[in-house]
Amino acid sequence: MADASLPRHVVITGAAGALGRAVVQQFLEQGARVALIDHRLDHLAGAFPGLDHSQHLLLEADVTSTESMAAAGQRALDAFGGRVDAVVHIAGGFEMGDAVHALGRAAWDRMMNLNAWSFVAVTQALVPSMIERKAGRVVAVSAKTAARGAAGMAAYIASKSALQRLVEASAAELAPHGITVNSIAPSVLDTPANRQAMPQADPGQWVSTSVAARTVAFLASPAAAALHGQHLTLDA
């Protein structure tokens, strides 16, 4: 039986990815209804073949587009009777890049759009309904590396640092409305993609997606009501 104090209606972006699937499973086990967003509907259908579509939504949307997210957000709100208890923003991107003095504008814009502007587009679509209800949880996925620059990662780190600043500003703005905004900041997540990209590394030193998913669920729960603008570092 679902705990009535836990989020009942949850919107999750980047749901078809490795972390997304773990987070979705966590909320399903809590009895939540979920609206799952990814940039490809077939990715969602492949990741969640047995999902009950009478209770849950699969939505294709571009998280960097305010128009696309507005449409997806409205569909979720319509399906959930105007109530979204938690928004979990996982969608983003990573890529190594050139040195700062050789950085191209396209690479900069790509990282900033995926990792920072997307947070604006997603919250713009869903936070106003939370303000009306004076309740809600927003959880983003930032990165431990956002704290300090590193060679070949300038655009990525800058974008995740920008995301953290957006989380902090949003937390200050929304706390008076009964809404918390926080992030998890993993080091390296143990995903198939990361194992393939770093075959010589020891995955035992990475963070499991199940642990990260439980931390996300904690931030979306009543137990995290006193946390505002925090970035919970996850590191094995």
Side-chain angles (χ1 to χ4, degrees):
M1 183 176 179
D3 185 338
S5 67
L6 294 173
R8 290 188 290 161
H9 303 95
V10 183
V11 176
I12 302 166
T13 74
L19 177 57
R21 292 194 299 272
V23 169
V24 171
Q25 185 60 38
Q26 186 72 30
F27 282 109
L28 290 177
E29 289 175 359
Q30 292 181 354
R33 294 179 65 188
V34 296
L36 309 182
I37 296 174
D38 208 86
H39 70 288
R40 290 270 299 274
L41 193 61
D42 59 325
H43 290 177
L44 286 168
F48 305 102
L51 202 65
D52 181 355
H53 296 285
S54 69
Q55 295 295 312
H56 311 292
L57 294 179
L58 302 183
L59 301 172
E60 180 176 291
D62 176 1
V63 295
T64 69
S65 164
T66 53
E67 294 81 6
S68 182
M69 272 308 308
Q74 191 59 56
R75 286 187 62 189
L77 287 166
D78 290 345
F80 294 159
R83 173 184 180 133
V84 169
D85 299 299
V87 175
V88 181
H89 180 41
I90 300 170
F94 170 83
E95 61 185 45
M96 296 296 292
D98 294 323
V100 173
H101 66 273
L103 192 62
R105 184 58 183 267
W108 174 267
D109 288 347
R110 190 161 51 248
M111 288 292 92
M112 282 294 176
N113 281 332
L114 281 170
N115 294 323
W117 179 254
S118 63
F119 180 81
V120 177
V122 169
T123 54
Q124 193 173 98
L126 293 160
V127 162
S129 67
M130 293 180 170
I131 292 174
E132 288 182 8
R133 292 181 45 246
K134 295 291 185 181
R137 300 280 187 266
V138 178
V139 185
V141 177
S142 60
K144 181 184 177 183
T145 55
R148 186 175 178 83
M153 299 173 66
Y156 170 74
I157 290 176
S159 67
K160 285 295 191 180
S161 179
L163 171 59
Q164 290 192 344
R165 305 297 79 79
L166 289 170
V167 165
E168 293 158 9
S170 186
E173 293 158 356
L174 296 177
H177 299 285
I179 301 164
T180 67
V181 187
N182 297 285
S183 87
I184 62 167
S187 53
V188 180
L189 287 170
D190 186 4
T191 67
N194 283 337
R195 288 193 179 216
Q196 183 175 11
M198 295 176 278
Q200 305 305 317
D202 177 12
Q205 301 301 310
W206 298 348
V207 178
S208 76
T209 55
S210 62
V211 167
R214 290 196 293 273
T215 309
V216 167
F218 162 70
L219 288 174
S221 76
L227 294 179
H228 301 273
Q230 300 300 305
H231 313 293
L232 301 190
T233 299
L234 307 182
D235 197 346

